[in-house]
Amino acid sequence: MTRQRPIKAVLAKPGLDGHDRGAHVLTLGLRDAGMEVIYLGIRTPAELIVQAAIEEDADVVALSCLSGAHEYHFPRVAELLKEAGMTDVLLIGGGVIPAEDIPLLQAAGFKAIFGPGTTIQEITAFIHEHVRE
């Protein structure tokens, strides 16, 4: 079956993290790869991220965190997505996230955590491979 519309991704930085250069670069990279991207910006509450994912019928929710608060904010978004019935959305994260924290995030529902040095091509390939048709 061929996809009828471009992959739609909602990107956000939850919590108090204020550095979003990487999120901007990823937004442009995903757009250049043919995806429709909605970037919600910095300090986006989990509830607004999930609301946007529902309203946009997102295929992907991508979160970025550099502040170390990923252990709280990432699972919270995953929990709210599940409560909203969005169990088939691809949930990915990125930022400066210690390797020992990744199993916790995977258990919460994150399919991948991308760290510094990950290329846009690696992320877009992963999304294309894992988004539902």
Side-chain angles (χ1 to χ4, degrees), residues 84-112:
M86 294 196 71
T87 56
D88 59 347
V89 67
L90 176 63
L91 191 53
I92 61 175
V96 180
I97 296 173
E100 60 266 24
D101 294 347
I102 292 175
L104 169 81
L105 301 175
Q106 290 173 325
F110 283 80
K111 295 294 182 201

Tab-separated table of all heavy atoms in Angstrom, residues 84-112:
chain	number	residue	atom	x	y	z
A	84	ALA	N	-4.380	8.789	25.216
A	84	ALA	CA	-5.165	9.355	24.110
A	84	ALA	C	-5.412	8.330	23.002
A	84	ALA	O	-6.057	8.651	22.005
A	84	ALA	CB	-4.447	10.572	23.536
A	85	GLY	N	-4.889	7.129	23.177
A	85	GLY	CA	-5.104	6.082	22.185
A	85	GLY	C	-4.163	6.150	20.996
A	85	GLY	O	-4.356	5.459	20.005
A	86	MET	N	-3.133	6.984	21.094
A	86	MET	CA	-2.171	7.111	19.992
A	86	MET	C	-1.017	6.129	20.192
A	86	MET	O	0.131	6.523	20.365
A	86	MET	CB	-1.660	8.542	19.880
A	86	MET	CG	-2.744	9.519	19.481
A	86	MET	SD	-2.090	11.088	18.902
A	86	MET	CE	-1.406	10.623	17.330
A	87	THR	N	-1.361	4.865	20.108
A	87	THR	CA	-0.366	3.835	20.375
A	87	THR	C	0.448	3.467	19.136
A	87	THR	O	1.437	2.748	19.252
A	87	THR	CB	-1.037	2.577	20.930
A	87	THR	OG1	-2.048	2.151	20.005
A	87	THR	CG2	-1.670	2.848	22.287
A	88	ASP	N	0.008	3.949	17.971
A	88	ASP	CA	0.754	3.608	16.763
A	88	ASP	C	1.655	4.737	16.271
A	88	ASP	O	2.257	4.625	15.214
A	88	ASP	CB	-0.198	3.172	15.655
A	88	ASP	CG	-1.202	4.256	15.308
A	88	ASP	OD1	-1.318	5.237	16.069
A	88	ASP	OD2	-1.861	4.128	14.275
A	89	VAL	N	1.760	5.821	17.029
A	89	VAL	CA	2.656	6.905	16.643
A	89	VAL	C	4.090	6.492	16.986
A	89	VAL	O	4.338	5.861	18.014
A	89	VAL	CB	2.254	8.224	17.346
A	89	VAL	CG1	2.471	8.153	18.834
A	89	VAL	CG2	2.994	9.392	16.744
A	90	LEU	N	5.013	6.814	16.086
A	90	LEU	CA	6.424	6.528	16.320
A	90	LEU	C	6.973	7.598	17.259
A	90	LEU	O	6.931	8.784	16.949
A	90	LEU	CB	7.203	6.538	14.999
A	90	LEU	CG	8.715	6.340	15.109
A	90	LEU	CD1	9.040	4.964	15.695
A	90	LEU	CD2	9.371	6.521	13.748
A	91	LEU	N	7.479	7.153	18.380
A	91	LEU	CA	7.980	8.061	19.405
A	91	LEU	C	9.499	7.960	19.448
A	91	LEU	O	10.050	6.871	19.683
A	91	LEU	CB	7.354	7.683	20.750
A	91	LEU	CG	7.498	8.615	21.927
A	91	LEU	CD1	7.057	10.037	21.602
A	91	LEU	CD2	6.710	8.066	23.114
A	92	ILE	N	10.170	9.090	19.176
A	92	ILE	CA	11.627	9.110	19.200
A	92	ILE	C	12.100	10.293	20.021
A	92	ILE	O	11.374	11.261	20.225
A	92	ILE	CB	12.234	9.154	17.783
A	92	ILE	CG1	11.803	10.403	17.030
A	92	ILE	CG2	11.874	7.890	17.012
A	92	ILE	CD1	12.460	10.575	15.670
A	93	GLY	N	13.336	10.207	20.486
A	93	GLY	CA	13.889	11.288	21.274
A	93	GLY	C	15.327	11.536	20.906
A	93	GLY	O	15.965	10.736	20.220
A	94	GLY	N	15.813	12.663	21.371
A	94	GLY	CA	17.196	12.993	21.114
A	94	GLY	C	17.693	14.031	22.084
A	94	GLY	O	16.930	14.618	22.840
A	95	GLY	N	18.998	14.203	22.064
A	95	GLY	CA	19.625	15.170	22.944
A	95	GLY	C	20.813	14.548	23.640
A	95	GLY	O	21.334	13.523	23.201
A	96	VAL	N	21.196	15.179	24.723
A	96	VAL	CA	22.300	14.645	25.517
A	96	VAL	C	21.686	13.743	26.580
A	96	VAL	O	21.291	14.194	27.654
A	96	VAL	CB	23.127	15.782	26.145
A	96	VAL	CG1	24.277	15.219	26.964
A	96	VAL	CG2	23.635	16.720	25.059
A	97	ILE	N	21.595	12.468	26.242
A	97	ILE	CA	20.920	11.507	27.098
A	97	ILE	C	21.896	10.372	27.420
A	97	ILE	O	22.370	9.688	26.508
A	97	ILE	CB	19.648	10.977	26.407
A	97	ILE	CG1	18.678	12.146	26.209
A	97	ILE	CG2	19.016	9.847	27.209
A	97	ILE	CD1	17.464	11.837	25.397
A	98	PRO	N	22.206	10.181	28.690
A	98	PRO	CA	23.151	9.129	29.056
A	98	PRO	C	22.653	7.742	28.626
A	98	PRO	O	21.455	7.451	28.691
A	98	PRO	CB	23.215	9.227	30.587
A	98	PRO	CG	22.737	10.603	30.911
A	98	PRO	CD	21.746	10.955	29.839
A	99	ALA	N	23.585	6.913	28.216
A	99	ALA	CA	23.240	5.573	27.730
A	99	ALA	C	22.461	4.783	28.780
A	99	ALA	O	21.554	4.016	28.432
A	99	ALA	CB	24.500	4.822	27.332
A	100	GLU	N	22.767	4.979	30.042
A	100	GLU	CA	22.083	4.222	31.096
A	100	GLU	C	20.609	4.622	31.241
A	100	GLU	O	19.830	3.898	31.858
A	100	GLU	CB	22.809	4.318	32.440
A	100	GLU	CG	22.937	5.722	32.992
A	100	GLU	CD	24.255	6.394	32.616
A	100	GLU	OE1	24.877	6.017	31.603
A	100	GLU	OE2	24.649	7.320	33.355
A	101	ASP	N	20.220	5.754	30.669
A	101	ASP	CA	18.823	6.197	30.731
A	101	ASP	C	17.982	5.665	29.576
A	101	ASP	O	16.742	5.728	29.624
A	101	ASP	CB	18.737	7.722	30.730
A	101	ASP	CG	19.333	8.347	31.978
A	101	ASP	OD1	19.581	7.603	32.953
A	101	ASP	OD2	19.558	9.566	31.976
A	102	ILE	N	18.619	5.175	28.551
A	102	ILE	CA	17.885	4.760	27.351
A	102	ILE	C	16.921	3.605	27.614
A	102	ILE	O	15.780	3.645	27.139
A	102	ILE	CB	18.869	4.471	26.199
A	102	ILE	CG1	19.524	5.808	25.768
A	102	ILE	CG2	18.160	3.806	25.013
A	102	ILE	CD1	20.596	5.675	24.714
A	103	PRO	N	17.293	2.578	28.399
A	103	PRO	CA	16.317	1.504	28.651
A	103	PRO	C	15.019	2.001	29.300
A	103	PRO	O	13.933	1.519	28.970
A	103	PRO	CB	17.076	0.547	29.578
A	103	PRO	CG	18.515	0.758	29.211
A	103	PRO	CD	18.622	2.236	28.925
A	104	LEU	N	15.108	2.968	30.180
A	104	LEU	CA	13.907	3.544	30.809
A	104	LEU	C	13.013	4.182	29.748
A	104	LEU	O	11.798	4.002	29.751
A	104	LEU	CB	14.294	4.596	31.850
A	104	LEU	CG	13.142	5.454	32.372
A	104	LEU	CD1	12.385	4.720	33.446
A	104	LEU	CD2	13.638	6.804	32.852
A	105	LEU	N	13.628	4.896	28.826
A	105	LEU	CA	12.857	5.575	27.776
A	105	LEU	C	12.273	4.567	26.790
A	105	LEU	O	11.140	4.727	26.330
A	105	LEU	CB	13.727	6.610	27.070
A	105	LEU	CG	14.301	7.705	27.994
A	105	LEU	CD1	15.243	8.612	27.234
A	105	LEU	CD2	13.200	8.474	28.686
A	106	GLN	N	13.028	3.534	26.487
A	106	GLN	CA	12.510	2.482	25.602
A	106	GLN	C	11.330	1.770	26.265
A	106	GLN	O	10.343	1.453	25.602
A	106	GLN	CB	13.616	1.493	25.247
A	106	GLN	CG	14.658	2.103	24.316
A	106	GLN	CD	15.850	1.195	24.091
A	106	GLN	OE1	16.268	0.469	24.998
A	106	GLN	NE2	16.408	1.235	22.889
A	107	ALA	N	11.423	1.534	27.555
A	107	ALA	CA	10.318	0.893	28.274
A	107	ALA	C	9.068	1.768	28.264
A	107	ALA	O	7.942	1.265	28.295
A	107	ALA	CB	10.736	0.578	29.715
A	108	ALA	N	9.272	3.075	28.186
A	108	ALA	CA	8.138	4.012	28.138
A	108	ALA	C	7.505	4.069	26.754
A	108	ALA	O	6.417	4.601	26.606
A	108	ALA	CB	8.603	5.403	28.553
A	109	GLY	N	8.210	3.551	25.747
A	109	GLY	CA	7.636	3.539	24.413
A	109	GLY	C	8.480	4.187	23.321
A	109	GLY	O	8.057	4.215	22.170
A	110	PHE	N	9.620	4.692	23.666
A	110	PHE	CA	10.484	5.325	22.666
A	110	PHE	C	11.178	4.248	21.842
A	110	PHE	O	11.799	3.340	22.387
A	110	PHE	CB	11.508	6.250	23.338
A	110	PHE	CG	10.894	7.547	23.762
A	110	PHE	CD1	10.150	7.619	24.935
A	110	PHE	CD2	11.025	8.672	22.988
A	110	PHE	CE1	9.551	8.791	25.328
A	110	PHE	CE2	10.426	9.864	23.362
A	110	PHE	CZ	9.683	9.928	24.533
A	111	LYS	N	11.056	4.378	20.531
A	111	LYS	CA	11.656	3.391	19.634
A	111	LYS	C	13.125	3.677	19.392
A	111	LYS	O	13.876	2.772	19.031
A	111	LYS	CB	10.916	3.348	18.292
A	111	LYS	CG	9.493	2.875	18.409
A	111	LYS	CD	9.427	1.440	18.851
A	111	LYS	CE	7.977	0.992	18.899
A	111	LYS	NZ	7.793	-0.171	19.744
A	112	ALA	N	13.529	4.932	19.547
A	112	ALA	CA	14.933	5.275	19.362
A	112	ALA	C	15.259	6.552	20.108
A	112	ALA	O	14.414	7.430	20.256
A	112	ALA	CB	15.242	5.460	17.876
